[in-house]
Amino acid sequence: KIIKKSKKNEPLLEIAESQALDRINRRNTFEWVKESFTHLREKLNLTNLERIEAFDISHNQGSQVTASCVCFSKNGPDKKNYRSMNLTLEKNDDYLALSEAVRRRLKNLEDNKKSFPDLLIIDGGKGQLNSVSSELEKSGFKEINLISISKGPLRNEKYDEIHLQNNPY
């Protein structure tokens, strides 16, 4: 749909133009990722940060629960290691879904003798963090660093919260 320029939608068009120009200028270059990894490693006080895996859960009105896993290295997105998995749950329970997804992913990495991520990021608050942290401990993967990111008030990303294992950031 083509948006006609008017005073009413001018801010929207400016945002769209800015994002399009940013995308064109980046052209799949991810030089910014190295600096971001360094900054994140320092902020989280990690000794090493080479690989990050992030998880999110989706469902269709509470059923057909799936998990998505995206991977990043210092070179940018590692799309060949992105994963999507159907979960055994038939209800919307983020705690159990995230725990299952993380457990299955790490077990798969272990079985295939692949390296583990230095940091796991999960979508959710303290409850999701505690659930996955408990799963990591039970499964023998407690050495993997874990954070969660929860939505801010009114779902405003400006106020998103980062939760560390047992400590809000």
Side-chain angles (χ1 to χ4, degrees), residues 59-72:
H59 58 87
N60 183 10
Q61 296 179 343
S63 63
Q64 299 172 328
V65 182
T66 61
S68 300
C69 172
V70 296
C71 307
F72 282 84

Side-chain angles (χ1 to χ4, degrees), residues 79-141:
K79 292 184 180 185
K80 71 179 186 327
N81 282 303
Y82 281 19
R83 295 291 182 267
S84 179
M85 57 187 95
N86 295 322
L87 301 179
T88 58
L89 296 172
E90 277 303 317
K91 61 181 179 173
N92 182 22
D93 184 332
D94 265 9
Y95 303 144
L96 292 175
L98 281 164
S99 294
E100 179 184 339
V102 169
R103 179 182 63 249
R104 284 174 53 184
R105 174 65 176 157
L106 295 176
K107 179 83 169 95
N108 182 273
L109 291 172
E110 182 178 55
D111 290 348
N112 290 295
K113 297 178 178 32
K114 294 188 176 182
S115 60
F116 295 112
D118 300 302
L119 177 65
L120 293 176
I121 301 174
I122 57 172
D123 179 34
K126 293 176 186 176
Q128 287 87 342
L129 179 80
N130 291 334
S131 177
V132 172
S133 181
S134 176
E135 183 62 44
L136 289 175
E137 196 160 322
K138 277 192 296 189
S139 302
F141 298 113

